[in-house]
Amino acid sequence: MIKPVLSVLAAAVLSACSLAPTYQLPAAPVAGDFPVNAPGAGAAAAPAADGKAAVDTGWRDFFADDRLRSLIATALGNNRDLRTAALRIEEARAAYNITRADRLPSVNAGLTGTRARGADFRNTPGQGGVGEYYDAGISIPAFELDFFGRVRNLSAAALSSYLATDEARRAAQISTVAEVAKAYFTERAYAEQQRIAQATYEARRRTYDLTRQRLEVGASSLLDLRLNETLMETARAQALALARQRAQAENALTLLVGAPPAQAASGPMADDRQIDAMSAVPAGLPSDLLTRRPDIRAAEQRLRAANANIGAARAAFFPRISLTAALGSSSPEFSGLFDSGTKTWSFVPQLAVPIFDAGRNRANLNLAEVRKDIAVADYERTIQVAFREVADALAARSYLADQVAAQRAIQEAQAERLRLLQLRFENGVASTLDVLDAQRELFDAEQQLVQARLLRTTSAIDLYRALGGGLQ
């Protein structure tokens, strides 16, 4: 009996066909090149065309700050989002293994014993006897011969879903690296702004004390004293607000890392040389994103899964052939279970043809087709979002270097203006109001310079992430 069963199984495997549509990857709905943004004369030079691609630049090489590297390494091990993504992979792998197992028959071994009392109407009505019966053997329960590829398409869909989950984990890792770096530099920027605000407060407090002394000897007015007091308390309020924002930034960084930092934050924010190095990654072409970005590859795998599900839905319209087979031994006595003449076998092929299902199969096919259309739209949307992220980061790279240079020139001009006004004030030429106004404008210029440098830093990180960097 085994030979015909194996022959049928081999024929089923070899003749199985697939009713899934021919898979075609949709064309990328974006331009062939990224938009060209011409920086001004003071912008940093564009990176060399033969520079190392972002996807080939590990985050340990991209970030020069040792403490940031330590934080990223900790985050990759402790971040709960990444941990959930890793567990999602295990979940998808288990689901795929289940569907893959359906492509092979299950073989069960069984041993049963039956002891029952029955009525005997042939000899003495109303009187019964007790009988025993034993069975042993192996069986193949209801194995579907996948002639039309229903089970195979379900397995292919599960495999694509598993691969999409793995790509989603990679995308989550890239995002974690970028978010930790941005949170770190944001905290460092708040620390720099707080330092400036505290230094400004100390300077204004000394000016306030000097003005009060001048008022006591009649060399200054009460109006000058109140103006100094207003600016002094304003700087104090700003320093306190920045301290609060810095503490909240530290909390956000702790959440991303997944554990309290091993040491307190220290060191300055990234300087221009470091930012230039981070910005010097070649953009390549939009087509490169299809192989660099894990989120695009995940969307493609979801599209493959939806395409395979259509094949499974189409196969439901065709006959389903299943096979049940058994080989064993039966005996009324357990001791004679394997004696000569007790062997049994059964071979039960079954053909089920769908005749009426109230439109269930048609609805399932429509659902699979709609889900494929959704997967196509999701794939195209993912590409468009990736294209925009890269284009935005390139635009920022083109202009932010000039913006930082212009803001630094403003800060230096305001510092020189304050120095000159202080000299004029000491010689009795300039008024207190002029000096206070110059102090206020210098403080604003210093704060805006820090913000511009932070914006350039985070835009460089965004470009690195958008180009697929952050995995190695």
Side-chain angles (χ1 to χ4, degrees):
M1 189 271 294
I2 298 224
K3 289 184 178 180
V5 172
L6 295 178
S7 299
V8 172
L9 294 179
V13 172
L14 294 175
S15 63
C17 63
S18 175
L19 299 178
T22 301
Y23 176 76
Q24 292 182 345
L25 187 65
V30 293
D33 295 292
F34 293 112
V36 178
N37 304 286
D50 59 349
K52 195 174 182 181
V55 71
D56 299 322
T57 305
W59 55 265
R60 293 185 183 275
D61 298 326
F62 185 75
F63 299 109
D65 191 303
D66 290 334
R67 183 173 182 272
L68 175 57
R69 291 172 180 169
S70 175
L71 290 173
I72 293 176
T74 304
L76 293 178
N78 293 336
N79 185 272
R80 296 322 188 258
D81 291 336
L82 286 181
R83 189 173 300 178
T84 301
L87 293 175
R88 293 293 184 193
I89 293 177
E90 298 300 323
E91 178 186 27
R93 181 187 289 116
Y96 166 63
N97 288 335
I98 291 173
T99 57
R100 186 178 61 175
D102 291 337
R103 299 180 62 181
L104 297 175
S106 299
V107 179
N108 300 329
L111 175 63
T112 60
T114 303
R115 181 179 177 85
R117 180 182 184 279
D120 187 356
F121 295 99
R122 291 176 299 176
N123 298 323
T124 306
Q127 298 292 324
V130 177
E132 296 180 349
Y133 201 79
Y134 299 91
D135 289 286
I138 59 175
S139 63
I140 299 176
F143 171 63
E144 180 178 349
L145 303 181
D146 196 24
F147 285 107
F148 302 101
R150 188 187 73 88
V151 178
R152 185 168 57 172
N153 279 310
L154 290 176
S155 178
L159 175 60
S160 296
S161 297
Y162 160 64
L163 295 176
T165 306
D166 188 40
E167 294 294 350
R169 179 195 61 81
R170 295 171 180 267
Q173 177 178 333
I174 291 176
S175 296
T176 299
V177 170
E179 292 303 318
V180 169
K182 291 166 67 174
Y184 173 77
F185 286 118
T186 298
E187 188 275 334
R188 290 289 80 209
Y190 280 132
E192 180 71 12
Q193 289 181 305
Q194 182 187 1
R195 183 193 63 78
I196 294 173
Q198 188 65 32
T200 302
Y201 166 71
E202 296 295 337
R204 290 179 181 179
R205 184 176 59 82
R206 289 192 297 269
T207 303
Y208 171 77
D209 294 339
L210 179 60
T211 305
R212 185 176 56 184
Q213 294 173 4
R214 290 166 60 89
L215 177 62
E216 292 175 354
V217 298
S220 183
S221 65
L222 184 60
L223 177 60
D224 292 338
L225 180 66
R226 294 310 175 204
L227 285 174
N228 276 280
E229 183 180 11
T230 300
L231 288 179
M232 178 186 68
E233 294 300 332
T234 299
R236 179 170 174 267
Q238 290 174 327
L240 293 172
L242 289 168
R244 172 184 56 82
Q245 291 173 319
R246 179 187 177 185
Q248 292 174 340
E250 288 179 343
N251 294 335
L253 182 59
T254 300
L255 177 62
L256 286 171
V257 171
Q263 56 183 351
S266 61
M269 58 186 300
D271 56 27
D272 291 339
R273 180 184 57 81
Q274 292 174 331
I275 301 175
D276 290 341
M278 289 191 293
S279 300
V281 289
L285 296 174
S287 58
D288 297 336
L289 296 180
L290 303 182
T291 57
R292 290 178 177 179
R293 299 255 310 206
D295 56 339
I296 295 179
R297 296 199 298 265
E300 180 184 352
Q301 292 297 337
R302 290 193 293 269
L303 178 57
R304 290 179 180 273
N307 192 77
N309 282 327
I310 291 179
R314 287 177 176 176
F317 288 89
F318 293 85
R320 185 177 300 182
I321 303 174
S322 61
L323 173 66
T324 300
L327 176 66
S329 177
S330 298
S331 173
E333 297 179 357
F334 183 77
S335 59
L337 186 60
F338 298 102
D339 292 345
S340 177
T342 61
K343 293 183 175 57
T344 62
W345 63 268
S346 65
F347 180 71
V348 186
Q350 182 179 7
L351 174 67
V353 180
I355 297 178
F356 176 75
D357 61 1
R360 181 179 291 103
N361 287 339
R362 173 59 57 183
N364 284 331
L365 178 58
N366 292 339
L367 177 62
E369 291 174 343
V370 170
R371 285 177 174 172
K372 179 185 176 181
D373 293 338
I374 294 174
V376 170
D378 176 66
Y379 174 75
E380 295 175 341
R381 172 65 176 170
T382 304
I383 293 177
Q384 290 176 336
V385 170
F387 182 86
R388 179 194 170 181
E389 289 177 350
V390 175
D392 286 348
L394 290 175
R397 183 173 71 177
S398 298
Y399 296 107
L400 281 176
D402 277 347
Q403 181 179 339
V404 170
Q407 193 62 47
R408 181 174 285 107
I410 293 174
Q411 183 264 337
E412 292 173 352
Q414 290 292 350
E416 180 65 13
R417 174 176 175 242
L418 176 59
R419 188 185 68 83
L420 295 175
L421 282 173
Q422 286 177 335
L423 290 176
R424 291 169 60 87
F425 175 74
E426 293 172 359
N427 294 324
V429 179
S431 65
T432 304
L433 184 59
D434 293 335
V435 175
L436 295 178
D437 182 66
Q439 289 178 345
R440 183 181 68 254
E441 293 186 0
L442 175 59
F443 176 75
D444 293 339
E446 290 174 335
Q447 295 289 333
Q448 291 175 15
L449 177 59
V450 174
Q451 285 295 321
R453 291 173 58 204
L454 174 63
L455 184 59
R456 190 176 176 220
T457 303
T458 56
S459 68
I461 297 172
D462 285 336
L463 178 60
Y464 177 64
R465 179 194 59 81
L467 293 174
L471 276 179
Q472 298 182 1

